[in-house]
Amino acid sequence: MTRTLAALEEAVQAALRAGHPGKLEVAGYGEIAPVLLWTVPGGRRACKRLPPFRDRAEFEAYRSCFGTYLDRLASAKVAVLESRLEALEMPDGSLVAYCIQPALDPGEILPRYLGQCPAAEAGRICDTILDRVARLVTPALGFDGQPSNWAVKGGEPCYLDVTTPLMRDAQGRERLNLDLFLAPLPWALQGLVRRFLLGEILGKYYQPRGVALDFLGNLHKEGLARLLPDFLARANARFSPAISRDEVDRYYAGDARTWSLLQRLRRWDRAWQRRVRRRTYPFLLPGPIDRGRVSLV
């Protein structure tokens, strides 16, 4: 696999130098990193490139956290798509790592699946996800359960996005080295996000009701707001205080503003690095993201 992964990284480096994906096949973009499709012996794989690791020790610490998180999800009976880490050591001693998963049919990705299935089936899937959120999430174990982080395999929800292990120690500190995931942000912005936004962004993932609210809000992003009345009723049968449609809409509007701002700042930083400093920008960025529209009264 190392030789194949080196070929993928070579293609990524060419895309970074060019400032666009070029020949890379992008399955989709998250807020931080894209998922790339790559053909290897045995089939197609979805490969998510992680922020660079300074050395082997930093990577091994992340690998340990990653493995523990997968074990915790399995213990809570949350089905997770087969996931493994592969890393390449660079000449300067840093490592480039990828999370590698089987490539999925686009129709298996949850937002597409919900957009095509009957209402009763959509409700069943919603119930299953909300039950898993209620069973899994604690102040020490977090979960980003938004719709795009799920697929449907064999008729059951299967979780995809395991690259941000959300776990806290007994003192409430993140076990993950968050500097790794602040790295894609402009340097001047990292301290501000760490101080003023990071707690708000991550805090909701350690509260079952907060995860449910985020799941519901992101239906707007996926063009599935028509499902909200039914999904809200299902959520309110499990979590309290009750979530209102107004709360969902206002939550998502604020969340969309935050991430839109961060993406604009990343694009400005890329332009500054490439045009003024004449440097290769080290991250692949999405184009404009359609986040849907929310009408607030």
Side-chain angles (χ1 to χ4, degrees), residues 1 27 35-48 80-84 99-106 108-109 151 153 158-160 162:
M1 183 67 188
V35 176
L36 308 174
L37 293 176
W38 196 248
T39 301
V40 300
R44 301 261 282 167
R45 297 292 183 268
C47 305
K48 186 173 183 179
V80 176
L81 190 66
E82 176 191 347
S83 307
R84 72 179 191 277
C99 177
I100 301 173
Q101 299 173 319
L104 296 170
D105 184 284
E108 294 177 312
I109 304 299
K153 298 286 291 180
C158 180
Y159 192 63
L160 308 178
V162 292

Side-chain angles (χ1 to χ4, degrees), residues 39-167:
T39 301
V40 300
R44 301 261 282 167
R45 297 292 183 268
C47 305
K48 186 173 183 179
R49 189 174 186 263
L50 303 176
F53 296 87
R54 289 174 295 183
D55 52 37
R56 174 67 61 176
E58 190 171 68
F59 171 69
E60 292 300 335
Y62 173 79
R63 187 202 292 273
S64 175
C65 199
F66 178 88
T68 300
Y69 193 62
L70 291 183
D71 290 343
R72 297 284 297 275
L73 295 180
S75 295
K77 295 183 171 50
V78 174
V80 176
L81 190 66
E82 176 191 347
S83 307
R84 72 179 191 277
L85 295 178
E86 296 282 348
L88 295 168
E89 188 162 350
M90 310 306 284
D92 63 357
S94 65
L95 279 82
V96 173
Y98 289 81
C99 177
I100 301 173
Q101 299 173 319
L104 296 170
D105 184 284
E108 294 177 312
I109 304 299
L110 183 62
R112 179 81 67 88
Y113 186 87
L114 291 177
Q116 298 174 344
C117 71
E121 170 66 0
R124 184 186 70 84
I125 294 293
C126 177
D127 283 340
T128 303
I129 289 174
L130 294 177
D131 285 343
R132 291 177 182 177
V133 168
R135 182 172 62 237
L136 171 75
V137 177
T138 71
L141 184 62
F143 192 63
D144 181 358
Q146 64 178 280
S148 60
N149 288 347
W150 294 91
V152 178
K153 298 286 291 180
E156 294 300 322
C158 180
Y159 192 63
L160 308 178
D161 190 7
V162 292
T163 55
T164 308
L166 293 168
M167 296 180 292

Side-chain angles (χ1 to χ4, degrees), residues 187-198:
W187 176 83
L189 189 63
Q190 290 177 22
L192 293 173
V193 171
R194 184 184 294 107
R195 182 174 181 182
F196 296 109
L197 287 179
L198 201 56

Side-chain angles (χ1 to χ4, degrees), residues 31 217-223 252 255-263 267 286-294:
E31 297 291 357
N218 275 280
L219 293 172
H220 284 294
K221 182 180 178 182
E222 307 299 345
Y252 180 70
D255 192 61
R257 282 193 300 269
T258 296
W259 285 108
S260 294
L261 173 61
L262 292 177
Q263 292 297 355
R267 288 194 290 271
I289 298 174
D290 183 1
R291 299 181 185 277
R293 295 183 179 181
V294 182

